[in-house]
Amino acid sequence: MSFVPYFVQCLTCGSRLRVSDPAVIGTIASCPKCGSMVQVDAPKENSGEPPEPATQPATPSQVAIGSRIVDSDQITRDAYSATDLDAPDSLNIAAASDGGFQGSGSVAEETFDDAPGAVAPDAWQSDRTKQKRQVALIAAVSAATFLMAVFVFVWFVRSRGTQQAGLTETPPALENDRQSSALELNENEPQQPRSEAEADPEAEPLNNDNDTDTDTDTSEQSEQSETSEPNDVEPSSERIGSGAIPIDMMPIDPLAEPDPSVEPAREPSSPPGSGDASPAAPPDDENPSPELREIPKGLAPFLDLLDLDGEANEVTPTIETPPGLDRADLEEAAEETLDPMMIATPPPTINAKRVLSVEFAIDSQGYPLGDFVLLISQITGVPIQLDWVSLDIMQIDVADPIIPSRGTLSAKQHLEKLCESFGGKMSIEESLIVLTIDDKLFADRFKAVTTLDDFGDDAGEVISLLNQFMSTAENDSDDQLDQLKTPATRTEQQLLMLAVDTMRRLRGIGPKIEEKSFSRWAYFVTSPKADWPVLSDGDLGPPLYAPVTIAGLLRRVSRQNKATCVVNWFDANRRRLSPEQLMMPYAKDNAGEVFRRLLDPFEVQVRVVDEKHWWVGTDASYDRLSTLVWTEPLGEGRDKRLARIKATMAGATADTFRILYDPKSDRAMMMLPRFVVRQMPKILL
């Protein structure tokens, strides 16, 4: 009878499994759709109808998990192949053999590792436990190291103490030498006999069995020491073999008086055995006193300073009085603190053709000269230096407004138009641009200021005084005494013009340079304008919401305080403070505090010259800025005051110090650095 295939229904997903082999009847198969186990029962008798889904009988070997019934024995059988179990009736359904008991999502059999590696010990402990064990290990190692160091230190101290005790132990022969020395130094004082037991009360006898012999030896030694004279002491050279230290190798007591009978040891001039005789001893008057024999040669001259009972007060001091003693109570000028790396790497050379080709337009009815220069520096990034002294002598105020040229022009064209407006010229140097007065215009101004016709009959005397004041090593010839000498450099010409106008003020003649320009470079010695204080307050203006260049910030804040700012770019440029350096100030502080915080890294400060002018530079440059000052009438103490001034500036060159005494006004005119000018009240006391 042929077998008729039939279907078995899966109780989990409801799918039907076709049974085509009668050998699988009564077994458990795996559903190819959901992987559940399905009991394959025999078909019902009524073959005309589709068989009902097979039900799984509840047997003791089956385990029910939820709504699913699992046969553990069958699962074990399905986990192995038919060959392993030697079962002839092994299930041969494709759906069951493909996935095994793991279902369709199982891992391929060849990917399993039958011999997995051992688990690392760290994997069985938590991170916290691991951290505690590490800390405990570190603590244990540290404690062991510390104990080892302590042990080594104690061992070293003990061993060193033992060595020192062995070196300092006094042998009997050495003790006898000390007793002999004491007898020699104190002949008039009765000596008490000292035995070895008295020398070391705590010493124990070497042999306890021979106490009687020891006492006998001790008494014999005592009797010998009582009857012996100091000169009967055995020479130390004969006891060297017995372990005693020679007397000439013993340290010398600095408080003991020397023995005239003992000749001091002298070092041979040649090695022993060379055959050369030692040089003859110098005369006694060339030898130092016996007290100085053990003093180094370099310290011997200073011994007289300790001889308070002798001629110490009569010794002439050998240290000369330092020059410029009067300067002992004066402050020194601020030192230049430029970084050596900046000295080794000077500022980069500017490309004038490129940076001055930047084009821009300015529409203004009036712009201060100093602010306009800062604006061009801000736009081009090139430091532009103003020759402020020449501008003041020409009576051109940098705070006065100028009208910029209209239209779009390059930066070079703007500067050229600016120079035309005040008679200046532009000089392009390696790392900056200098704006000064044209040579012809300055020469005309020099001639007008230095003409001495207004001095009348005193013109000849004034010419002589001014020529002496301006004389230097280069131009100290005595020719042309009937007229002023014209200096060769612009700086010397500026100084002579200020000196001539100072003489006019000393003699009550109307000056030719306005006071507001003149007072920045020459003034009375105690004038309140003598010092330019560092800016400590001021209005910073509205807060900034973006960084701004340092040139723009100086221009903005100075205008906010109705002033203009002149920057000494020689100082700033060497410290890499360029005009386009971006800054972001803190708006809650005043202007002085903001500039101090921003400019301190560059070692420059903002100083208030007067209410309309600020100056930016270093302390070192400010202290060394030359200025002309004059004194009040000197009166009877003129010689003393003049001598004190000259002593204070002793050693200064003509570039730093010059002085002139005008007999008619009884005043002194001096060129001094500013750090000395602010201390002149102490010098003129």
Side-chain angles (χ1 to χ4, degrees), residues 62-298:
Q62 294 178 347
V63 179
I65 303 176
S67 60
R68 300 170 56 186
I69 300 175
V70 180
D71 189 348
S72 59
D73 294 338
Q74 187 62 34
I75 290 175
T76 304
R77 293 174 60 86
D78 291 341
Y80 296 92
S81 62
T83 305
D84 295 336
L85 296 176
D86 295 332
D89 55 348
S90 298
L91 187 63
N92 191 20
I93 300 178
S97 62
D98 291 340
F101 71 93
Q102 298 176 355
S104 59
S106 61
V107 182
E109 183 177 355
E110 60 271 9
T111 62
F112 283 96
D113 188 3
D114 294 335
V119 180
D122 292 341
W124 298 103
Q125 57 183 350
S126 63
D127 294 339
R128 185 174 181 181
T129 304
K130 185 190 304 183
Q131 184 177 6
K132 289 182 178 179
R133 292 183 177 179
Q134 292 176 351
V135 171
L137 178 61
I138 294 173
V141 172
S142 302
T145 305
F146 175 77
L147 293 176
M148 181 63 68
V150 171
F151 173 80
V152 172
F153 176 77
V154 172
W155 171 82
F156 174 79
V157 170
R158 289 185 176 180
S159 61
R160 186 172 181 84
T162 304
Q163 294 177 359
Q164 291 181 352
L167 292 176
T168 57
E169 183 178 358
T170 305
L174 181 59
E175 188 64 27
N176 293 335
D177 291 339
R178 291 186 177 179
Q179 293 177 7
S180 302
S181 301
L183 291 173
E184 292 175 0
L185 296 176
N186 302 292
E187 295 179 356
N188 298 329
E189 184 176 354
Q191 302 296 325
Q192 298 294 334
R194 296 183 61 190
S195 61
E196 292 181 359
E198 292 175 347
D200 191 0
E202 297 179 1
E204 296 180 1
L206 298 177
N207 190 356
N208 296 331
D209 297 336
N210 299 327
D211 291 341
T212 306
D213 298 338
T214 304
D215 296 337
T216 305
D217 296 340
T218 304
S219 61
E220 291 177 359
Q221 273 190 352
S222 300
E223 294 175 359
Q224 183 179 0
S225 61
E226 290 176 358
T227 57
S228 61
E229 296 296 331
N231 295 332
D232 296 336
V233 179
E234 184 181 359
S236 61
S237 59
E238 299 178 1
R239 297 193 305 271
I240 294 178
S242 61
I245 299 177
I247 189 63
D248 54 355
M249 297 180 62
M250 289 295 296
I252 297 177
D253 188 0
L255 301 179
E257 296 182 359
D259 186 4
S261 62
V262 179
E263 183 179 0
R266 297 174 182 173
E267 296 181 1
S269 58
S270 59
S274 60
D276 297 338
S278 301
D284 294 338
D285 54 353
E286 297 181 3
N287 287 333
S289 60
E291 290 81 4
L292 301 180
R293 290 175 180 171
E294 299 302 330
I295 297 179
K297 296 180 179 180

Side-chain angles (χ1 to χ4, degrees), residues 33 73 80 91 165 180 211 259 265 417 478 532 602 623 642:
K33 185 174 182 180
D73 294 338
Y80 296 92
L91 187 63
S180 302
D211 291 341
D259 186 4
K417 295 291 185 182
D478 295 332
W532 298 351
F602 302 96
D623 282 352
L642 292 175

